[in-house]
Amino acid sequence: MKGTRGRRRTTLAVALALIAGLSATAPAHAGDPAYPFRDPRLPVDRRVDDLLSRLTPDERISLLHQYEPAIPRLGIREFRTGTEALHGVAFLGRTTVFPQAVGLASTWDPELIRQVGFAVGDEARGFQQERPDGWGLNLWAPVVNLLRDPRWGRNEEGYSEDPYLTGSISTAYGTGLTGGDPDHLKTAPTLKHFLANNNEYQRDTTSSELRPRVLKEYDEQAFRPAIEADAATGVMSSYNLVNGRPDTVDPALNDTVRAWTSRDLLNVTDAFAPGNLTGSQGYFGTQAEADAAALKAGIDSFTDNDADPGPTAAAIKSALSSGLLKSSDIDTAVRHILSIRVRLGEFDPGGGRYGSIDASVIDSPAHRKLARTAATEAAVLLKNDGTLPLRKSSSAAVVGPLADTLYTDWYSGTLPYAVTPKDGIAAKLGTPVTSSEGVDRIALRDTATGKYVTAGTGEAGAALKETTDAGVRAQFDVFDWGSGIVTLRSAANGRYVGYNWSDFVNDQTQPNGWFVQQQFELERQTDGTYLLRYAGYETGESWWSNPVYLGPAGADGTLGLVPKDRAAHYTKDVVRSGVDEAVAAVRGRDTAVVVVGSMPAINGREAHDRTDMGLAPSQEALVKAVRRANPRTVVVVENSYPTTLGALQNEVPALLWTTHAGQETGNALADLLYGDANPAGRLTQTWYRSASDLPSILDYDIIKSDRTYQYFKGRPLYPFGYGLSYTTFRYGGLKRVPDGYEVAVTNTGRRAGDEVVQSYVHQRTSRDKQPLRRLTAYARVSLKPGETKTVQLRLGTSDLAHWDVTRSKWVVETGTYDVLAGASSADIRARTSLKVQGETIPARDLGKATRAENFDDYRAIGLVDESKPRGTAVAATADGAWLKFADTQLGSGASRLTAELAGASGTLEVRIGSPDGRIVGSAHFDGTSSPYTYRTVTAPLAGAKGRADVYLVLSKGLRMSAFSLR
C-alpha cells in the first residue's frame, strides 16, 4: 500500500507539472479591446498566440469539445461546432431549401453552386443575432464521400462517383460558404466524412479496405481540392474503419489532410464517434487512451455526449496525468480551433466583416429565385421521343404519390413554402389541373371482432383503436415505398400513423425522425387476410426486443405490439382504388404527368442502405396503367439515387429525373416540362440496369471490381454524364492549346440550351490497369440557336498521373493518351491523341524492403492496421490467399526471403509466374499472441531469378507488413 501511494504521489506530481505547462496569467482587465487577440490589424497567428497565452489549463481543455463554453473573464462567448448546411441551413427553422446535394452536382455548374453556397453562408449568419439552439458558424458541409455505390443510404448527401467532379463542386460550394476570403470567413465549412464512408450497414464496425491506388487516385482526391483551395476549414472523421483502423484515429488527418494547405484546419469527430473507440469498435480499453490517440492523429474537437463536455474533459485530463498526452498536444489542437474563431471575426469589433448580417437574408426573394434556378438546372432529361416540351395551351393531369407533396430529408431545413408539381403546373397553365395521388384508400377490419382500425381527428390525432366506426376515421391512404414498406395516412386528418414508444398515433405531417416510426408492412396470409407489421427503423436495432405485430392490446381496443400468434388478422377493404382514380384523372387530358419516386426518410438515409433501387411495385403499376389510359404520359422520377427503371424507360415517351429539389420543385418542373427552361442537368453517377451489376456494398476496390464509369465494362441503363436537351449540339475537332484543348460547340437546333461539354482521358498502355476513361475537365456552356462557342478544356501533364505502387509516388508514364470530348462518358463527339514523354516504371526491386500493401493483384486478402497508431498490413482471409508483385527483376538470383509477420501460425510461400507456379521458397511462422506483434521470419530461396511475376501465398490468419527477396 505504501508503494502504491508513493507511485500515486509521483504520478500526481507529474500531472501537475504537465498541467502547469498550460497555465497562463489572467489579464488585469478581462475583455480589454486593446488585447492583441481582439485587434483585426494583427496577423491571425499573433492573435491566436495572444489568446492562447491568456487561457487557463481548464479553459484550454474545455475548448476541445463540440460545445465550447463561454469564458466571461475574457469576454468570449460560447462556440459550437456542427451546424448542418448540406443544401441549406438545417434544424434551425424555416430557411431556403435548395436541391439535395446530388441534385446540386447534377447542374455541373460550379458558378451556380458557389452562389448557392454564398446564400447558405448568409443564412447561417442570419441567425447570429438570435443564436438559437444548434446554431454555429462551423458548418458540417459539404459531404464529399464518393458515390461509388448507388445503394448507399446517404447517396442524396454526396455529389458524384467521380473525384474530379466532386472536388470541383465541393470547392465551389465551400468557396461560397466561406465568402471567398480565407482570412475573413463568413462560415467555416467542414468536409464530411473522412474517409471512404459509403455504406451505412454496420458503419461503425465495418472496414473500408483501400489499396494504395484506390486511396490515392480515388478517395483522397475528393477531399483534396477544397482543402487546397481554402474552400474548407477542416474535415470530419467518419464512423467507419479504413484498413482496420477507426477513422477517428486515422493519422492521415494530420499527415495527409494538413499537408494540403498551409492554413490551420479544425478537424472534428462525427457524433459519438469517440465513444465508439471504446464501445462498438473496442479499439481502446479506456476513453483516455482513445481521446489521446484521436488528438494525436489530428482531431481537434470531440463530438461526444451531446452537450455535456464533462466526460471528454475528464478523459483528456486523465490522459495528461498518465502521460498519454503532453500539454503541447492540447495547445496544438486549441490553436487550430482559435485560428478558425479568429478568422470568423468573433473577436473583431462588431463581429467582423459579416457581423451585421441578420435574419432578413433568410428566405429572401433573391434566395427564392436562386432556389428555382438550382432546381431547374439540376433536373436531368432521361428520355424524350418528342413529347416534351408540352404546349401551354394543352390540358394536363398531374398524378402520382409525389404529385402534390414535397418531402424533406434528414438534413433539410424547414420549407418556408412548398410549390408542388401540381401547383407549379397549374400556375404555368393558369388553370387548375386534375390530380390524384394514385394510392389506395383502405379500411382494415379485424376478422375476429368485425371492428375497424380507427384513428383520431384534429392535428394531434389519437391512438389507433378497433371500433365499430366504419366511416372516414377508419380509412387510410396506403403509400408503397418498395421492399414491402408502406406508410398509412389517416383520411380523418391527413396525418401519418406512427409509433410513439407507447401507442400508434396519426399525428405526423410526413415520416420523419431518427427512428422513422411511420413504417409498416401489410403481410398477406394464405387465407387472404393481412397482418399489420410494424417496421420502424428501430426494429432493426440489436436492442429491439418488442414484438412487431399489431393487435388489440388494451381493454378499450387500443392497438399495441403483440406476438405474432396474437396479431389481429385484417381484411383489407379497398374504399377507393388509387389506380382507378388516377386513370380517371388522366382520361381526356392532352397530357398525363406522373410523379413517382422516393420518400427520403424511408428509401435509404443515414444508418440505412438501400436493398432495392427500383421503383415501388405499385408506383410502377400506376405508371403502366396511366400510360395505357393516356399515351402522352410523361414520368417524373423524384428521388435521390440512380434507379433501375425496369421496362418503364422503354414504355413511356418521356422521363425526367430530379432530386427532392426543395421549395421551388414544382415551378422548376413546370418550367422544364413546358419549355420555359431547357433541361441541361447531367447524371453524376452511373445508372445500372440491375443490382446484379454491383458487387458487395462493402467492396471498396473499384479497380479490381470494375466499379464506377471509370472501370465498369457492362452496359449501363444511363451512363455517367448523361442528359438530354430540347436542342442538339455539334462538336468540332479538338485543338491543342497551351493549357489543354479547345473544341467548338454549335447549337444546331431551334431552341436555346446549355450543353455540358465533358473531357476525358484514357491511357492506352500502362504497367498498371487504367480507367476506361477518366473525367479531367468540363464546362457548362449556354448557346443560342445557331450559335457556336469555343470551349476551353484544361489538361495538364499532372492530370495524366496515377499512383505507382512500386515506388509509392505519382507517375506520368511515357505513352499515348486518348483525349476525348463529348456529351457524356459514353457519347464522345471529338477525340485526339497526345504523346507524352514521361517515365517508364522500372521493374520491381524486391531486394529492398517492400510494403506488402503495395501489391498489384490479390485474392482472399484483407487490408488491416499494422499497429494502432499507423501503418497498413495485409491479412490472409483464407488458406491459399495470394499477393501478386508484377514485373519483378530478381537478377541473377535472390537467395533469401525476409518477412515481417504477425497473427496466426502458418506458412508463407514464394512462387513464380502464378499462385500455383513453381515454389522457390517457403517459410513457417509460429504465430504471435497479438496481431500487432511482428516477428522477422527468413527462409532460403532457390531458383528465384530473372524477370518474373512474384506471388506470395499465405495461410489463413497470417499478417504481413513488409518483406524482401534478397
Side-chain angles (χ1 to χ4, degrees), residues 15 116 169 685 745 835 843 876:
V116 171
I169 295 295
Q685 293 175 265
V745 181
K835 293 187 181 299

Side-chain angles (χ1 to χ4, degrees), residues 109-119 169 171-173 175-177 179:
D109 189 343
E111 175 53 29
L112 174 66
I113 303 310
R114 185 195 65 79
Q115 294 175 35
V116 171
F118 199 88
I169 295 295
T171 298
Y173 189 60
T175 299
L177 291 175

